[in-house]
Amino acid sequence: MTKPKRQTLTERRAEELRMTIALTARDLFVAEGDASATVERICEIVGIAPRTFHRHFPVKEDVLMPLLRRSETIILGELENAPGDADPVEILTYALTLEVGSRQVPDFDRQLVRLIVNTPQYRLRFVEWSEGLADGITKFLSRYYELDAEPFLRDLPARLVVQTMRHAIYHWVDASGSGDYSEVGRLEFRGFGMALSGLERLPQR
C-alpha cells in the first residue's frame, strides 16, 4: 500500500488557512441567515486580502468545500476501518452522521444545512460532493455483499445509499420541530436497509 504523500509546511499552512476561511464563512452565513456575505466581508474578518481568498477559492461558492472534504475524510475513514463482522447498515448510518451528530448543536446545524440545500450554488456543490462518496461506499459494500460484476449494477447500491442520505437530510431540514441530527440517522438506517435489502450478504469473516 502506498503511503500518502507527506504535506510540506507551506501546504499545511495553506490548508489551515482554507479551513479558517471556511469556518468564518460558515459562522457568518448562519449568523445572518443567508449566504449573501461578500468575499470582502469574509476577508475582513479573517484578516486577509480578497486576492488571497481567490487564490484558494476561485469563486465564493467554493468556500464551504473544506468542510465537506473534512466530512468526506471522516466518513471514508470510518468505512475503511469498519470490522468485517459489523452490520454494514449500522456502519453506514454511523459514518454518515458522525461529524454533525457529535457536535450536538442541532439549531446551528439545521440552519447551516438548510442554507446549503436551499441555496442553489451550495446545493449543487453538496450534491457533487455526495456523489463523490459513491466509490468509497462501493468499496465498503463489496466487503459485505455480493456485488454485480457489471459496472452499472455494481455501483448502483452505493448510488442508492448516497441518494438516501440526501433525502434524509432534506427531510430533516424541511421537517417542523427541533429534532437533533439523530433523526437523520434514524431515517438513513431505515432507508439504507431498504436500499440494500436485495443484496446477498457475504459470509462473515
Side-chain angles (χ1 to χ4, degrees):
M1 181 176 176
T2 304
K3 291 183 178 180
K5 182 182 176 182
R6 188 173 181 178
Q7 286 185 317
T8 65
L9 178 59
T10 299
E11 289 170 336
R12 287 201 304 275
R13 286 177 174 170
E15 188 171 305
E16 289 169 1
L17 177 57
R18 282 191 290 272
M19 183 59 70
T20 297
I21 296 169
L23 291 170
T24 300
R26 178 200 68 181
D27 293 348
L28 185 57
F29 293 167
V30 171
E32 297 189 344
D34 60 45
S36 63
T38 63
V39 168
E40 288 74 18
R41 179 101 182 278
I42 296 168
C43 290
E44 182 181 359
I45 296 172
V46 177
I48 59 173
R51 66 178 179 276
T52 302
F53 179 99
H54 288 296
R55 189 180 306 136
H56 296 283
F57 304 103
V59 295
K60 190 189 85 170
E61 289 74 22
D62 290 335
V63 73
L64 298 181
M65 290 307 299
L67 304 179
L68 293 175
R69 285 193 289 269
R70 181 177 66 182
S71 293
E72 180 178 357
T73 298
I74 292 171
I75 291 166
L76 296 183
E78 290 294 326
L79 297 183
E80 184 175 350
N81 295 319
D85 60 352
D87 180 337
V89 172
E90 289 184 355
I91 294 295
L92 280 168
T93 303
Y94 177 76
L96 290 166
T97 58
L98 173 60
E99 186 186 14
V100 175
S102 65
R103 288 205 299 266
Q104 295 296 307
V105 282
D107 291 340
F108 181 93
D109 287 324
R110 189 189 293 273
Q111 290 180 57
L112 175 63
V113 178
R114 180 182 289 123
L115 184 150
I116 290 173
V117 302
N118 289 337
T119 306
Q121 302 94 320
Y122 293 97
R123 184 182 182 117
L124 175 62
R125 283 158 177 78
F126 171 69
V127 170
E128 290 175 344
W129 166 81
S130 64
E131 290 296 329
L133 297 173
D135 287 346
I137 293 174
T138 294
K139 183 178 179 181
F140 166 77
L141 293 176
S142 70
R143 295 166 51 198
Y144 299 92
Y145 297 101
E146 186 69 46
L147 299 183
D148 201 284
E150 200 279 317
F152 170 77
L153 294 177
R154 181 178 179 83
D155 294 343
L156 186 57
R159 301 288 176 179
L160 293 174
V161 166
V162 168
Q163 179 59 41
T164 300
M165 176 195 73
R166 288 202 301 264
H167 186 51
I169 289 172
Y170 298 161
H171 180 83
W172 179 67
V173 165
D174 293 337
S176 60
S178 58
D180 63 26
Y181 206 69
S182 63
E183 174 65 9
V184 174
R186 185 186 71 81
L187 294 171
E188 287 183 350
F189 184 80
R190 294 176 63 193
F192 296 158
M194 292 178 62
L196 303 175
S197 61
L199 297 179
E200 182 178 347
R201 282 292 301 269
L202 294 171
Q204 290 188 353
R205 290 170 286 174

